């Protein structure tokens, strides 16, 4: 009896083995296809990004030959043509940041004068405004350039924290447009964002605020070079779009900002 049970059991083993062989083969085939698709996608991305770099150089050559402060102000003038706005934004980025690389935004240090506007925040403005203007242009390469600029910001954990996962209202508009066009980062999806204020990030330093009030209202501290830090000389009020000098309440010359 036991022998008969074994004989009956063997066909099930054989069938299972065949099934697993086919399933394994199908799984391997699926993995192989996914890999091939991935290679094609990255190949197309690499080619597009190489073309975008050339396109950027040509576009940047059309920028106004003015000071960084004037370039920054020009980005927010109503009626600016997309090509000119993108050119000026890219030129500003190259003037403020090492190699014009968004991932190195915090290599910008100091302030734009005569307005005393933090350069690191102006560099982030340049990335955003370049992308906004590029996405208004008809050339496909402009879209690839916009996506590559934003992906550059993603390569900096600090930029991701201060400008993307906590972003201005314009972030949602940009991401929706890029996603609709299939302009996605390498990992396949732009990060979710908690909205805080609107562009521009940068603003001239105006007025004073106490350290305690800056903390209680979740302002972002900036160091003496205008870079976001855990503590600093300045306080960036993202919701109101203002930047203040931080003072101690015991300072005899303290004047409340409100």
């Amino acid at each position: 009896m036991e022998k008969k049970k074994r004989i009956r059991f063997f066909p099930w083993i054989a069938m299972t083995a065949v099934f697993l062989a086919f399933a394994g083969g199908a799984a391997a085939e699926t993995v192989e296809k996914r890999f091939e698709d991935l290679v094609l996608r990255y190949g197309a991305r690499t080619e597009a990004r190489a073309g975008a770099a050339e396109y950027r150089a040509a576009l940047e050559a059309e920028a106004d030959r003015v000071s960084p402060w004037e370039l920054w102000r020009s980005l927010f003038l109503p009626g600016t043509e997309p090509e000119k706005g993108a050119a000026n934004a890219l030129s500003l980025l190259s003037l403020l940041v090492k190699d014009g690389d968004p991932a190195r935004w915090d290599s910008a240090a100091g302030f734009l004068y005569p307005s005393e506007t933090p350069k690191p925040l102006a560099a982030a403005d340049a990335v955003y405004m370049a992308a906004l203007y590029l996405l208004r242009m008809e050339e496909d390469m402009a879209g690839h350039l916009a996506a590559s600029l934003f992906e550059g910001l993603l390569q900096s954990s600090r930029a991701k924290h201060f400008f993307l996962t906590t972003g201005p209202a314009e972030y949602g508009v940009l991401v929706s447009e890029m996603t609709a066009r299939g302009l996605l980062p390498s990992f396949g999806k732009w990060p979710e964002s908690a909205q805080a204020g609107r562009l521009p990030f940068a603003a001239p330093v105006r007025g004073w605020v106490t350290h305690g009030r800056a903390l209680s209202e979740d302002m972002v501290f900036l160091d003496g070079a205008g870079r976001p830090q855990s503590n600093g000389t300045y306080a960036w009020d993202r919701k109101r779009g203002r930047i203040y000098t931080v003072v101690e309440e015991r300072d005899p010359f303290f004047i409340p900002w409100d």
Side-chain angles (χ1 to χ4, degrees):
M1 184 72 176
E2 185 179 347
K3 187 175 180 183
K4 287 183 180 179
K5 286 183 179 178
R6 281 183 192 167
I7 291 171
R8 288 175 186 168
F9 187 59
F10 285 144
W12 286 102
I13 295 175
M15 288 174 64
T16 303
V18 170
F19 172 78
L20 290 175
F22 275 109
E29 195 173 317
T30 302
V31 170
E32 185 177 353
K33 186 173 186 312
R34 286 179 183 170
F35 179 74
E36 289 174 356
D37 290 344
L38 194 64
V39 169
L40 289 172
R41 181 156 52 113
Y42 276 84
R45 180 191 300 274
T46 302
E47 186 177 347
R49 296 298 162 84
E54 295 177 10
Y55 183 76
R56 173 178 176 173
L59 192 58
E60 198 170 328
E62 302 300 318
D64 293 331
R65 299 293 182 247
V66 294
S67 70
W69 179 67
E70 291 172 299
L71 284 173
W72 176 70
R73 291 210 319 162
S74 77
L75 304 183
F76 304 98
L77 294 176
T80 300
E81 290 296 320
E83 290 82 358
K84 178 60 71 175
N88 282 357
L90 292 168
S91 178
L92 177 62
L93 185 62
S94 291
L95 288 170
L96 296 182
V97 176
K98 190 169 183 179
D99 300 327
D101 182 358
R104 309 177 79 172
W105 66 277
D106 57 357
S107 64
F111 297 82
L112 299 176
Y113 290 100
S115 63
E116 197 179 2
T117 300
K119 289 182 180 180
L121 300 187
D125 280 330
V127 176
Y128 261 84
M129 294 308 295
L132 283 167
Y133 282 122
L134 287 165
L135 290 172
R136 289 173 53 195
M137 296 165 65
E138 294 182 359
E139 291 85 350
D140 287 343
M141 200 54 68
H144 286 293
L145 178 53
S148 69
L149 291 170
F150 252 61
E151 194 162 5
L153 277 185
L154 276 177
Q155 292 171 14
S156 163
S157 59
R158 282 164 50 78
K160 181 179 179 182
H161 173 71
F162 288 113
F163 307 127
L164 300 179
T165 54
T166 304
E170 293 81 356
Y171 177 80
V173 176
L174 277 165
V175 165
S176 294
E177 182 65 22
M178 288 191 291
T179 301
R181 297 191 195 184
L183 300 169
L184 301 171
S186 56
F187 55 83
K189 184 181 178 183
W190 298 107
E192 299 293 328
S193 179
Q195 184 178 324
R198 303 186 65 89
L199 292 176
F201 293 116
V205 177
R206 296 283 186 272
W208 299 264
V209 67
T210 63
H211 186 275
R213 184 152 192 178
L215 281 174
S216 67
E217 297 193 7
D218 294 322
M219 296 185 193
V220 177
F221 289 104
L222 307 176
D223 64 15
R227 291 178 291 232
Q229 299 290 345
S230 58
N231 205 343
T233 308
Y234 306 96
W236 173 26
D237 185 343
R238 302 188 60 152
K239 295 177 183 177
R240 297 180 179 87
R242 300 185 64 178
I243 298 174
Y244 308 101
T245 299
V246 176
V247 298
E248 296 296 331
E249 293 190 56
R250 63 175 178 273
D251 189 329
F253 299 106
F254 168 64
I255 302 174
W257 60 267
D258 62 350

